Amino acid sequence: MEKKIPKKIVVTIDATHSGIVNGNYFMYLPDGMKSGKDSFTKPYNKPITDGHPKFYENEKETPVLGRVISSEYESYGLSDTMDSMGTRAENIVDAVQQTYKMQLADKDYKGLGSMKIKAEITDPEAITQILDKRKMTVSIGAYLDNARCSVCGSKWGDCEHEIANSYDGLVAFRVGGNMKFDHVAFVK
């Protein structure tokens, strides 16, 4: 007997984490993520896509698998200072470098918090792949109002520091400002 696939499912996803330097050498801060929480559902419910959307006319459209129905920032309670310091604080260099050292020192470190979303998935193939755990990881699409350098605190691009390079023991990465979320993509 063939197993019946539901017409829709609601899933809870840790869409992104604060206090982690990701593969794009960005660290998002708790306040920056919290500032964008409502953008997941306003002015409309953002899409859950199969991969990141394509931005060029000649590329194939990215399928929409469902929509975000709610979002909430969850603090892990690891850093009251970072949770409340804002995205433009003067002491950003010390705080983000200390947080990055926590990430390097602890293989189980999962960040300072996460943006948790609930999404309604309606695509039948995606439902099957989520249920059998072929679709398990996501990446966000977001816009930032600014980014700062982790080495000097300047607006990113206004200094000579280059991503992933070390300067007197400080690694250069971008520290994101306030976020506006555009989509969540299932990725491999």
Side-chain angles (χ1 to χ4, degrees), residues 7-183:
K7 291 193 181 289
K8 66 181 178 179
I9 60 173
V10 175
V11 295
T12 301
I13 300 169
D14 282 342
T16 190
H17 298 269
S18 64
I20 291 180
V21 177
N22 67 22
N24 295 324
Y25 282 90
F26 256 107
M27 177 186 283
Y28 306 126
L29 299 180
D31 279 354
M33 291 175 87
K34 291 176 201 175
S35 73
K37 177 184 84 70
D38 291 339
S39 67
F40 271 117
T41 56
K42 295 175 185 170
Y44 61 91
N45 298 68
K46 298 306 184 286
I48 306 294
T49 59
D50 191 12
H52 286 290
K54 306 299 182 192
F55 296 104
Y56 303 101
E57 288 180 26
N58 60 347
E59 291 184 340
K60 186 177 155 190
E61 187 176 321
T62 305
V64 173
L65 309 176
R67 296 278 173 173
V68 176
I69 57 175
S70 69
S71 62
E72 199 62 49
Y73 179 80
E74 178 186 346
S75 173
Y76 298 152
L78 297 176
S79 172
D80 291 335
T81 302
M82 282 289 281
D83 279 352
S84 62
M85 71 181 272
T87 59
R88 295 177 178 87
E90 295 300 320
N91 62 345
I92 198 166
V93 172
D94 291 339
V96 297
Q97 289 293 336
Q98 190 65 27
T99 303
Y100 183 55
K101 287 176 184 171
M102 288 179 1
Q103 178 181 347
L104 295 176
D106 183 355
K107 67 176 180 64
D108 295 323
Y109 177 75
K110 60 181 186 173
L112 301 174
S114 69
M115 185 59 69
K116 289 197 175 298
I117 63 165
K118 285 194 185 221
E120 185 177 87
I121 307 297
T122 55
D123 180 86
E125 186 176 344
I127 291 170
T128 299
Q129 292 176 349
I130 290 167
L131 292 174
D132 70 17
K133 300 191 184 319
R134 283 182 282 162
K135 286 196 181 301
M136 292 183 64
T137 56
V138 298
S139 175
I140 58 147
Y143 299 96
L144 299 165
D145 69 348
N146 71 69
R148 301 244 168 241
C149 174
S150 66
V151 174
C152 67
S154 299
K155 180 179 174 188
W156 186 258
D158 286 355
C159 63
E160 301 298 318
H161 300 117
E162 295 182 23
I163 287 180
N165 288 345
S166 184
Y167 299 89
D168 295 325
L170 302 178
V171 175
F173 51 88
R174 296 167 288 197
V175 181
N178 293 322
M179 302 178 82
K180 192 173 204 176
F181 295 97
D182 178 69
H183 67 277

